[in-house]
Amino acid sequence: RRPSCASDLSNVAAYSRPAAAARSKGRVRARRALDRGDEGAREVSREEKTKETPTPEDLATLRRNLSPLGKVIAGTVEVGVTTGMSYVSSFAIGYTFSGLVGLRSFRSAGLKGLQAKAVSGGKTWGQLGAYFSGFGCAARVVREKEDKWNQVISSFAAGACL
């Protein structure tokens, strides 16, 4: 992958032809070692894959090793991001569908009426989505479990808020 703009030029050495050739030769050597049945090469390739993306077991271990304050901060961030992103996506869905449904009254209400109806529907859908996913995430964080009761708790709490 080549740099897309001038600010990415700091990593030009990583994209140069000699560096690409070295990476390619390393891949060929690893592939040949695997074809020969070299167990050491097989372990190295597994370690490289593990280093690239953390596994769920690693993330669970990291969460367990957090201090109580760290758990509170991590949980708060998770609930906040989940709730906010759910509001945004639900708002977009509600805005779109409310706008489409409001097309019937476009002649009488005009463009401003259609816009007001779409925004109103978007807000309602956004709140509903944020309540459900926010309370679901909060239940998961507090209970430290992922099961059907989290959805029951979030449904109850969202219904109480609405």
Side-chain angles (χ1 to χ4, degrees):
R1 187 177 105 163
R2 297 262 181 220
S4 59
C5 66
S7 65
D8 290 339
L9 291 178
S10 61
N11 294 328
V12 169
Y15 298 112
S16 66
R17 290 184 191 266
R23 285 194 307 272
S24 178
K25 285 180 184 176
R27 287 188 207 122
V28 170
R29 285 186 196 133
R31 196 175 309 128
R32 285 183 186 157
L34 286 173
D35 290 341
R36 285 193 313 257
D38 188 4
E39 293 298 323
R42 191 168 290 143
E43 291 300 319
V44 169
S45 63
R46 283 186 192 146
E47 286 177 11
E48 289 175 355
K49 288 180 183 177
T50 306
K51 287 179 184 176
E52 291 175 10
T53 57
T55 61
E57 293 84 21
D58 294 340
L59 294 175
T61 304
L62 285 174
R63 287 185 180 130
R64 275 193 300 260
N65 292 337
L66 285 174
S67 67
L69 180 62
K71 287 182 181 182
V72 168
I73 292 171
T76 303
V77 169
E78 184 178 357
V79 170
V81 169
T82 301
T83 304
M85 294 308 294
S86 178
Y87 180 84
V88 169
S89 62
S90 298
F91 179 88
I93 291 169
Y95 183 86
T96 302
F97 287 129
S98 295
L100 291 174
V101 169
L103 284 176
R104 290 183 295 173
S105 63
F106 177 67
R107 288 185 182 168
S108 62
L111 188 59
K112 291 201 183 236
L114 179 65
Q115 173 76 14
K117 186 170 188 135
V119 169
S120 173
K123 286 180 182 178
T124 302
W125 277 75
Q127 287 174 348
L128 183 65
Y131 285 150
F132 274 107
S133 67
F135 285 127
C137 184
R140 186 181 70 241
V141 166
V142 169
R143 296 181 66 230
E144 296 181 353
K145 289 183 186 178
E146 181 68 44
D147 59 359
K148 66 181 179 180
W149 289 105
N150 291 343
Q151 295 305 315
V152 171
I153 292 167
S154 69
S155 298
F156 176 78
C161 285
L162 293 176

